[in-house]
């Protein structure tokens, strides 16, 4: 393998894997299929899968290639876990909380109400107990997990009517991405509906939906939600930092050579960092455009936040009572979160509060 070419194509990942180049040359060619739960139009999320495949190919000198398939091409958006469990595909890119219908623990691989921010999630997963606990759970589904990137704290969604108090949530027909948030919102009277992002615009336009949440300004603008729902609320208290995941078929991973396993490990890190950086770079640009197009930005009233917190804690308590495994993971996450919040009182929080109060 030409090392200058490798470094040019894969950046820092190339440097990390350069030593493996002679061994990679001797490998048999490997071809994987990756099914995403997202459309190609989402350059942030689907772009993470693209970055992963590009990096794998570069680091392996073309010996290891991953073909990418957007939602609906190989299977429905929410069919990827079944496909991995049955070894129909080698890999998927998805939001784990889409699969809480199978088991509520899936939510911890993505986001839970009043959960971790992007940096906190990285810390818990990679240097706390998060990845170890989540992978032990995913083993039941023939899956090994990796971060595919994080959206950061999301927006609270698009509404056809103004939400002046918690009473306005009663009877609201809302598209929810999945996870424990839907259960918490049901306690507040919301009628939750889970559907792929591509179907939401038409449902809002026809009035079969009153509201939707998705991600944040960059992605939401691409989907055009501002044209059919003028009120844009914040913050998305159910997704303080939503992590997208690469799910890898455990048998396919085990069959890889040590060198190719390392390439998968490195390529996921490159892709995850790229996705999170894109969101931080692109969201400020998009929110200015949305406001210029008459989007009405609104903070959730305090009674909505308080009611959401109370309902969420009730949901967690109910799941803990039913599942010792859920309780173990949830309590570990909250213990980690408490330490993170303590530290941020003296670091990010104070710094950002000051910086948003001065004129640059």
């Amino acid at each position: 393998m030409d090392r200058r070419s490798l470094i040019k194509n894969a950046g820092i990942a190339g440097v990390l894997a350069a030593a493996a180049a002679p061994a990679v040359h001797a490998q048999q060619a490997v071809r994987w299929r990756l099914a995403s739960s997202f459309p190609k139009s989402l350059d942030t999320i689907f772009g993470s899968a693209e970055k992963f495949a590009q990096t794998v190919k570069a680091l392996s000198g073309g010996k290891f290639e991953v073909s990418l398939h957007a939602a609906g091409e190989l299977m429905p958006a929410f069919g990827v876990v079944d496909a991995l469990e049955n070894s129909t595909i080698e890999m998927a890119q998805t939001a784990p909380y889409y699969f809480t219908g199978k088991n509520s623990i899936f939510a911890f691989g993505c986001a839970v109400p009043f959960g971790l921010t992007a940096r906190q999630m990285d810390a818990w997963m990679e240097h706390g107990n998060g990845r170890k606990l989540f992978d032990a759970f995913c083993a039941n589904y023939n899956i090994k997990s990796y971060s595919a990137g994080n959206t950061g704290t999301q927006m609270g969604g698009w509404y056809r009517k103004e939400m002046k108090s918690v009473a306005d949530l009663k009877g609201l027909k809302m598209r929810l991405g999945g996870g424990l948030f839907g259960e918490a919102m049901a306690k507040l009277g919301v009628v939750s509906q889970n559907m792929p992002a591509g179907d939401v615009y038409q449902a809002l336009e026809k009035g079969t939906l009153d509201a939707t949440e998705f991600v944040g300004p960059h992605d939401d603008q691409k989907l055009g939600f501002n044209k059919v729902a003028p009120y844009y609320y914040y913050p998305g208290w159910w997704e303080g930092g939503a992590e997208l995941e690469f799910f890898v078929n455990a048998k396919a991973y085990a069959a890889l050579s040590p060198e190719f396993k390392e390439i998968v490990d490195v390529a996921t890190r490159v892709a995850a960092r790229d996705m999170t950086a894109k969101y931080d770079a692109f969201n400020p640009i998009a929110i200015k455009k949305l406001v210029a197009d008459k989007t009405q930005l609104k903070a959730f009233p305090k009674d909505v936040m308080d009611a959401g917190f109370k309902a969420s804690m009730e949901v967690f308590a109910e799941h803990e009572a039913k599942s010792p495994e859920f309780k173990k993971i949830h309590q570990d996450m909250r213990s980690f979160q408490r330490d993170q919040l303590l530290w941020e009182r003296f670091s990010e929080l104070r710094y950002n509060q000051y910086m948003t109060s001065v004129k640059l």
Side-chain angles (χ1 to χ4, degrees):
M1 181 185 295
D2 182 272
R3 297 192 183 197
R4 286 176 296 178
S5 176
L6 181 146
I7 292 170
K8 178 181 177 182
N9 289 318
I12 189 65
V15 177
L16 293 172
V24 168
H25 252 318
Q27 302 292 323
Q28 291 293 321
V30 172
R31 301 290 181 266
W32 275 12
R33 294 190 300 173
L34 184 156
S36 178
S37 293
F38 305 98
K40 292 179 180 178
S41 59
L42 296 179
D43 59 336
T44 43
I45 298 179
F46 196 82
S48 170
E50 292 174 328
K51 176 66 74 172
F52 170 80
Q54 291 163 4
T55 306
V56 166
K57 185 175 182 179
L59 294 183
S60 67
K63 288 281 191 175
F64 188 171
E65 292 193 62
V66 181
S67 64
L68 305 179
H69 306 273
E73 290 184 1
L74 291 181
M75 63 203 61
F78 303 147
V80 298
V81 165
D82 288 340
L84 287 165
E85 191 172 9
N86 298 329
S87 296
T88 304
I89 55 174
E90 291 79 24
M91 194 168 178
Q93 181 210 41
T94 192
Y97 65 9
Y98 288 160
F99 307 100
T100 51
K102 292 180 178 292
N103 192 308
S104 58
I105 290 172
F106 271 111
F108 291 107
C110 185
V112 298
F114 298 96
L116 302 173
T117 64
R119 286 185 60 178
Q120 292 168 359
M121 187 71 163
D122 272 349
W124 182 55
M125 280 292 190
E126 307 309 328
H127 295 285
N129 293 321
R131 186 65 65 196
K132 177 177 68 176
L133 292 169
F134 191 59
D135 263 356
F137 163 74
C138 285
N140 297 315
Y141 297 87
N142 193 29
I143 287 171
K144 177 177 173 59
S145 70
Y146 293 93
S147 172
N150 200 299
T151 66
T153 302
Q154 296 192 6
M155 294 291 283
W158 298 87
Y159 299 77
R160 286 159 55 91
K161 296 181 180 179
E162 194 171 355
M163 299 290 107
K164 297 180 180 178
S165 75
V166 70
D168 292 319
L169 295 175
K170 291 182 180 178
L172 191 80
K173 299 187 296 291
M174 185 172 184
R175 181 268 183 191
L176 305 173
L180 304 177
F181 166 49
E183 297 178 40
M185 289 294 265
K187 288 180 178 290
L188 304 180
V190 173
V191 180
S192 116
Q193 299 185 35
N194 193 4
M195 64 177 70
D199 298 340
V200 174
Y201 182 96
Q202 190 175 30
L204 280 170
E205 189 175 38
K206 289 182 176 180
T208 54
L209 277 181
D210 301 312
T212 185
E213 60 81 36
F214 189 57
V215 179
H218 181 70
D219 289 345
D220 294 3
Q221 184 185 38
K222 284 179 174 293
L223 295 170
F225 296 147
N226 58 307
K227 298 174 183 176
V228 286
Y231 297 99
Y232 200 20
Y233 276 84
Y234 63 92
W237 47 264
W238 46 91
E239 291 174 291
E243 181 163 292
L244 288 304
E245 290 281 284
F246 289 124
F247 280 170
V248 176
N249 176 278
K251 293 178 182 177
Y253 182 82
L256 293 176
S257 68
E259 291 80 15
F260 280 179
K261 286 178 181 176
E262 184 64 23
I263 284 175
V264 170
D265 294 351
V266 170
T268 57
R269 293 185 211 125
V270 171
R273 184 176 185 273
D274 186 66
M275 180 201 285
T276 304
K278 278 180 179 174
Y279 274 114
D280 285 341
F282 299 161
N283 276 332
I285 299 168
I287 202 162
K288 288 190 286 187
K289 291 180 179 176
L290 287 168
V291 170
D293 288 339
K294 311 302 183 186
T295 293
Q296 297 190 50
L297 286 176
K298 299 278 186 181
F300 278 126
K302 188 175 185 301
D303 75 325
V304 170
M305 297 291 290
D306 289 343
F309 184 84
K310 181 176 182 292
S312 298
M313 295 307 115
E314 290 174 359
V315 168
F316 289 125
E318 290 164 4
H319 282 283
E320 285 192 356
K322 292 184 290 186
S323 169
E325 187 179 13
F326 182 99
K327 182 176 181 179
K328 179 181 179 180
I329 297 175
H330 181 232
Q331 291 298 321
D332 187 272
M333 187 205 78
R334 293 299 181 194
S335 176
F336 194 90
Q337 185 181 34
R338 282 190 288 271
D339 283 346
Q340 292 291 300
L341 292 172
L342 173 65
W343 164 234
E344 288 191 5
R345 287 169 57 189
F346 310 108
S347 57
E348 299 274 338
L349 176 63
R350 296 301 179 193
Y351 179 76
N352 285 330
Q353 282 179 331
Y354 179 78
M355 291 304 296
T356 56
S357 72
V358 296
K359 185 176 181 181
L360 291 176

